[in-house]
Amino acid sequence: MKKSQIALQLFTLREFIKTPADIAETLKKVKKIGYDAVQVSGMGPIEEAELVKILDGEGLVCCATHENAAKIVNETDWVIERLQKLKCKYTAYPFPHEIPTSTAECLALAAKLEAAAKKMAAAGQVLTYHNHDIEFMKFDGRTMLDIFYSAAPTMQAELDTFWVQHGGASPLSWVSRFRGRLPLLHLKEFGIADRKISMLPIGCGNIEWSAVLPAAEKGDTKWFIVEQDLCQIDPFESVKISLDYLVSNFVK
């Protein structure tokens, strides 16, 4: 991968981006750490024009966003307009706003996602789906994620490596399976700290990045997005450790 393809999911720093002043200060730190792109999420209120001005000023690209799940399916035009203002092509449906309890309910949600994905595609944008572990529940022998992706062919993937593994599946298997349909990959480390499953800086856990990342590259993944929902040390130090590991071991 190229260093310019590594992004930071700002949800990791959500406690530091609550006001426009916070956002400006934090993005300056993110650039100083060495990131060249960010995914916008977990941010307090700020006008898109002001955010773009800050990003441009720091030389940061908005590679993708996470938007409110209900808005994506119910107010797709609003999402399209927001992405246009941010000069951004990709967003992700972050968590089911209606958690299915059957195959029929999975198909109903998939139909809404497919409609939104088609509308966004017509505007030159891409809707992806961000998984957690619940999508690996099975209905009639199929995982929720299987049903979603089969029934919504226009929708693409934003696989989250930690949650794939937490759901009992193989990150490598899923990354390989979605070759050509995985523009965004959340790099989230799965490891053990104090005998508990934990999210750790990249390279400090047990995911086989030496297999996962080349598979994603072969599958034409566009953005490799570092995320750590919970940090055991200072979040800025955590994301620096992650970036340094990736640059040292995988950047060409």
Side-chain angles (χ1 to χ4, degrees):
M1 75 178 81
K2 298 177 181 177
K3 181 177 176 291
S4 60
Q5 290 180 278
I6 303 173
L8 176 64
Q9 166 50 302
L10 290 176
F11 183 77
T12 308
L13 304 176
R14 59 196 176 279
E15 296 302 319
F16 305 93
I17 50 173
K18 295 183 176 181
T19 69
D22 291 340
I23 293 165
E25 181 180 355
T26 294
L27 290 177
K28 185 177 292 293
K29 290 180 180 178
V30 168
K31 181 64 176 182
K32 187 175 181 180
I33 287 169
Y35 287 91
D36 298 314
V38 294
Q39 181 173 33
V40 171
S41 176
M43 190 175 284
I46 185 171
E47 292 293 327
E48 286 87 356
E50 185 174 2
L51 178 55
V52 168
K53 184 177 180 180
I54 295 170
L55 289 167
D56 287 349
E58 297 298 339
L60 288 166
V61 173
C62 175
C63 70
T65 74
H66 273 191
E67 301 299 338
N68 177 274
K71 277 186 175 289
I72 287 174
V73 297
N74 296 323
E75 301 178 51
T76 312
D77 288 335
W78 180 90
V79 174
I80 290 170
E81 183 178 355
R82 172 168 161 79
L83 291 183
Q84 289 171 340
K85 290 177 181 178
L86 292 174
K87 301 183 290 186
C88 180
K89 180 177 180 178
Y90 299 98
T91 194
Y93 180 88
F95 193 82
H97 70 294
E98 301 167 346
I99 297 178
T101 60
S102 66
T103 297
E105 290 181 4
C106 285
L107 291 171
L109 178 53
K112 295 177 182 179
L113 291 167
E114 177 67 2
K118 283 184 174 179
K119 197 167 193 178
M120 290 183 65
Q125 299 172 359
V126 178
L127 175 63
T128 67
Y129 187 98
H130 176 274
N131 67 280
H132 290 78
D133 53 358
I134 65 166
E135 289 91 352
F136 291 91
M137 292 191 297
K138 289 186 176 181
F139 302 113
D140 302 316
R142 300 177 69 200
T143 66
M144 188 186 299
L145 211 54
D146 276 317
I147 298 169
F148 287 158
Y149 284 131
S150 295
T154 306
M155 183 176 69
Q156 298 192 37
E158 181 188 67
L159 292 177
D160 183 299
T161 54
F162 175 93
W163 290 117
V164 171
Q165 188 152 323
H166 199 275
S170 161
L172 176 58
S173 175
W174 277 80
V175 166
S176 300
R177 176 179 175 181
F178 279 85
R179 184 172 183 172
R181 196 179 174 183
L182 182 62
L184 313 177
L185 179 63
H186 269 194
L187 310 186
K188 189 179 294 178
E189 185 66 273
F190 184 103
I192 303 296
D194 297 325
R195 300 181 67 183
K196 296 179 181 179
I197 292 173
S198 300
M199 297 175 186
L200 301 171
I202 306 301
C204 296
N206 300 312
I207 290 180
E208 295 183 78
W209 299 111
S210 60
V212 170
L213 294 176
E217 286 189 273
K218 288 179 182 177
D220 202 26
T221 294
K222 306 298 184 188
W223 293 103
F224 299 84
I225 305 170
V226 171
E227 182 179 30
Q228 190 175 346
D229 302 358
L230 301 171
C231 300
Q232 291 75 37
I233 59 175
D234 176 71
F236 291 97
E237 181 62 22
S238 283
V239 301
K240 182 179 187 305
I241 292 170
S242 293
L243 180 62
D244 289 348
Y245 172 79
L246 292 169
V247 170
S248 297
N249 291 280
F250 297 103
V251 166
K252 299 172 182 177

